[in-house]
Amino acid sequence: AIKCPFSPGFSTIEHIISLNKAFNNHKFGTSNGKWLFARIILNRKLPFSFRELQVQLSKSTNGVYTVCNVYINGINLGEVHFVLDVK
């Protein structure tokens, strides 16, 4: 899992995508390509601001497709999916 505080000037969805991309880069690397946002499934509306955002790995398919749970202020808001665009 990886966490970050809210940073003014960026939307909540921008925070989620950039944090998840950083997590995937750290956990799986980028030597085979680039991580691309695939989809997001939300249980609730995204807030305009927050104290803390966390993404936590839920599933990985051979390190080329990931699903991470999204937590804002400790509440699970859904999941974000990323795919590795292989060179």
Side-chain angles (χ1 to χ4, degrees):
I2 188 172
K3 297 178 183 182
C4 80
F6 179 74
S7 176
F10 296 97
S11 68
T12 301
I13 191 71
E14 287 173 315
H15 278 87
I16 292 169
I17 291 171
S18 63
L19 185 63
N20 201 102
K21 193 172 212 177
F23 174 78
N24 283 347
N25 286 339
H26 176 75
K27 177 106 176 135
F28 300 104
T30 59
S31 60
N32 294 331
K34 174 169 121 173
W35 287 101
L36 303 175
F37 172 75
R39 71 190 284 195
I40 191 166
I41 300 170
L42 298 173
N43 305 326
R44 316 167 177 237
K45 287 184 175 184
L46 293 176
F48 290 107
S49 66
F50 54 86
R51 285 185 322 277
E52 183 180 79
L53 166 65
Q54 177 181 353
V55 293
Q56 183 174 29
L57 184 65
S58 172
K59 299 182 238 189
S60 171
T61 306
N62 299 326
V64 297
Y65 191 88
T66 62
V67 178
C68 286
N69 291 319
V70 177
Y71 297 90
I72 291 184
N73 301 330
I75 299 168
N76 185 326
L77 270 81
E79 58 188 35
V80 62
H81 298 230
F82 268 74
V83 63
L84 185 64
D85 182 21
V86 180
K87 295 178 186 177

